[in-house]
Amino acid sequence: MLTGRQYRLDLTPEQAEFAERIGGVCRSVWNTALEQRRAYRRRQVWIGYHEQARQLAEAKQEFPWLSQVPGHCLQQTLIDLDQACSRHGTWKVRWKSKARTRPSFRFPEGGKIAIERLNRRWARAKLPKLGWVRFRITRPLGGTVKNATLSRDGKHWHVSFLVEDGSATPERHDNPGSAVGIDRGVAKVATRSDGRFHHQVFARDREVEHARKLQRDVARTTKGSARRKKAVARVAHLARKIRRRREDFAAKTAHALATGFELIVFEALATKNMTAGVAPRPDPGQPGAFLPNGAAGKSGLNRSILDKGWHRIELATRSKARSTGACVMTVNPAYTSQRCNVCTVVDRKSRESQAVFRCTSCGHTEHADVNAAKNILTAGRAEFVQPSPGVRAGARKPRNRVGRKA
């Protein structure tokens, strides 16, 4: 099974400068190749990776700075761009900015990467044209290195090794037949159908106020000045602390779910659509004026949704499920918070508040998030039908009719 191992590098000043140069060249190749693809699309012509790789080899003879960096890193940049254009479309792929995009590049040939353990805390790796680089080995590699990716986060460089650890996904989960539904919310990050809550405050009130103060400091500086760079670095440092807490919470929650349950059901939430802005409402009586549209309240809700990291929890759970044999699936989130899990009657009035659900039909009372998680689990069980010995593996599953009104 392929897995990732990330470590913090201890580069010398010369190595850090050369790594920045490699990242800058890869960014230039990405932007140039993307502009070329868009220019071809405007003329109704298509260009792929192989043609761009051939033109890149010819460009090295004309531009010597392209030959100063490892050629495989540039080829991997073109491969990543080709995959991004195939997945999202040429016009939806973003440019790489020098200020907002952190430098990153990959060495694809794991056979040319040598790893040596120096002592209990430190090890070193030999990378093409970079030489021996030291890194803090906080956990064993546990397998054969397939490739290595270098990236900078703030002022620190990190290396991520793709390792083949030799393990395989188990055929059966340790707790066969166990299942859980997960309701993701704002008041509680994740609520399980068995009544347990997974919640953590990632940014404390004092840190929120400090972040606002740092943002004001950035606004008072001049663009391009040294004071502005320092102010932006302080804002980014605080944002990284909060992001790492969110990643740690997602990893711990994913471990608890993947090891404890065979079937894990999430809602198929469209977070991008849920956090979209509110359209303005022009005042017909006063040209140029607008009516109140609740944009301030919606922006606060959007910040709360994005702060919880809903999609990160689902991704971490899918990654952890590979090693436990769990099945992660998503269901339609329609009416899961308004349906009673006992009598299956849908009524928006049953949701009295954020935490109270009292069915108007049968009188069932329960925590609103727990009731929604149970509905999610019911819908997931209806779709999760394991093929019996007499049914072929590709047989069509029955449609989910849970919760439909009679």
Side-chain angles (χ1 to χ4, degrees):
M1 181 186 301
L2 294 177
T3 183
R5 298 286 188 267
Q6 185 176 11
Y7 307 96
R8 177 182 291 186
L9 288 171
D10 183 22
L11 300 179
T12 62
E14 294 77 11
Q15 290 175 341
E17 181 182 359
F18 186 56
E20 287 284 352
R21 193 187 314 165
I22 297 175
V25 174
C26 291
R27 181 183 65 252
S28 177
V29 169
W30 174 283
N31 294 336
T32 305
L34 178 59
E35 174 59 27
Q36 185 185 33
R37 284 175 176 263
R38 292 183 175 181
Y40 271 64
R41 293 296 296 170
R42 293 189 189 99
R43 303 197 306 265
Q44 302 297 326
V45 185
W46 182 84
I47 185 172
Y49 160 75
H50 298 285
E51 178 62 22
Q52 288 187 323
R54 186 188 62 81
Q55 296 181 9
L56 176 62
E58 297 177 355
K60 289 182 179 181
Q61 302 177 1
E62 184 177 358
F63 302 99
W65 52 274
L66 287 173
S67 303
Q68 296 176 0
V69 302
H72 290 167
C73 298
L74 304 181
Q75 293 178 1
Q76 289 296 308
T77 302
L78 294 179
I79 291 175
D80 294 341
L81 176 62
D82 184 72
Q83 294 177 353
C85 293
S86 300
R87 186 180 300 112
H88 305 291
T90 306
W91 301 102
K92 292 186 178 181
V93 178
R94 296 182 177 181
W95 302 92
K96 286 192 175 183
S97 170
K98 181 179 179 181
R100 297 185 179 183
T101 305
R102 60 180 184 177
S104 176
F105 50 92
R106 184 185 309 112
F107 296 98
E109 296 185 352
K112 296 183 179 180
I113 300 175
I115 308 293
E116 290 185 2
R117 186 84 179 242
L118 299 178
N119 49 42
R120 186 172 61 89
R121 295 185 177 182
W122 293 95
R124 65 176 185 172
K126 189 175 183 180
L127 303 176
K129 292 193 176 183
L130 269 176
W132 290 100
V133 295
R134 284 171 26 111
F135 61 91
R136 182 71 176 269
I137 183 163
T138 53
R139 59 183 301 185
L141 280 174
T144 305
V145 176
K146 295 298 182 180
N147 60 49
T149 303
L150 270 68
S151 60
R152 180 173 57 80
D153 189 6
K155 61 180 180 180
H156 298 289
W157 281 89
H158 297 80
V159 58
S160 299
F161 296 108
L162 183 64
V163 178
E164 175 60 50
D165 56 3
S167 61
T169 303
E171 298 182 358
R172 192 69 174 177
H173 195 270
D174 292 340
N175 299 322
S178 57
V180 65
I182 306 297
D183 177 71
R184 291 167 287 183
V186 175
K188 300 294 183 181
V189 180
T191 303
R192 290 171 19 179
S193 56
D194 56 0
R196 182 175 176 180
F197 300 92
H198 294 271
H199 184 70
Q200 180 178 342
V201 178
F202 306 116
R204 305 177 182 89
D205 295 339
R206 183 177 178 181
E207 293 175 333
V208 173
E209 293 296 331
H210 184 53
R212 293 175 181 172
K213 189 261 181 186
L214 294 179
Q215 292 286 356
R216 291 194 296 267
D217 294 343
V218 174
R220 296 188 182 114
T221 57
T222 305
K223 291 185 177 181
S225 63
R227 291 182 64 247
R228 187 179 184 88
K229 293 181 181 179
K230 295 180 180 179
V232 171
R234 289 192 292 267
V235 174
H237 177 69
L238 180 59
R240 280 193 298 271
K241 290 177 60 178
I242 299 174
R243 187 186 74 237
R244 287 165 184 164
R245 293 174 188 169
R246 193 179 294 113
E247 292 175 353
D248 179 74
F249 171 79
K252 292 178 179 179
T253 304
H255 177 79
L257 296 176
T259 57
F261 301 95
E262 183 183 19
L263 175 63
I264 306 169
V265 188
F266 289 96
E267 291 177 294
L269 299 177
T271 308
K272 183 177 180 180
N273 299 337
M274 295 173 63
T275 56
V278 183
R281 297 174 55 191
D283 190 354
Q286 299 180 1
F290 296 88
L291 298 175
N293 60 348
K298 185 62 168 61
S299 62
L301 177 62
N302 294 346
R303 285 193 299 268
S304 300
I305 292 176
L306 296 175
D307 176 68
K308 304 308 175 183
W310 290 350
H311 188 58
R312 189 181 299 273
I313 296 175
E314 181 181 344
L315 289 180
T317 305
R318 292 183 182 276
S319 177
K320 184 62 180 178
R322 298 185 308 153
S323 58
T324 61
C327 177
V328 182
M329 61 181 304
T330 57
V331 295
N332 188 2
Y335 307 109
T336 54
S337 61
Q338 302 176 6
R339 180 185 301 113
C340 177
N341 68 86
V342 177
C343 63
T344 69
V345 172
V346 178
D347 189 358
R348 60 182 305 178
K349 296 181 180 179
S350 300
R351 185 74 180 261
E352 295 186 355
S353 63
Q354 185 278 327
V356 179
F357 180 90
R358 184 175 288 105
C359 182
T360 57
S361 177
C362 65
H364 173 69
T365 304
E366 197 173 15
H367 194 283
D369 293 340
V370 177
N371 176 78
K374 291 182 178 180
N375 291 328
I376 295 170
L377 176 59
T378 303
R381 279 176 169 167
E383 294 186 6
F384 181 74
V385 179
Q386 295 182 351
S388 58
V391 181
R392 60 185 178 88
R396 182 179 178 181
K397 298 179 181 179
R399 296 180 60 186
N400 179 19
R401 301 182 179 274
V402 177
R404 293 193 178 185
K405 292 185 178 180

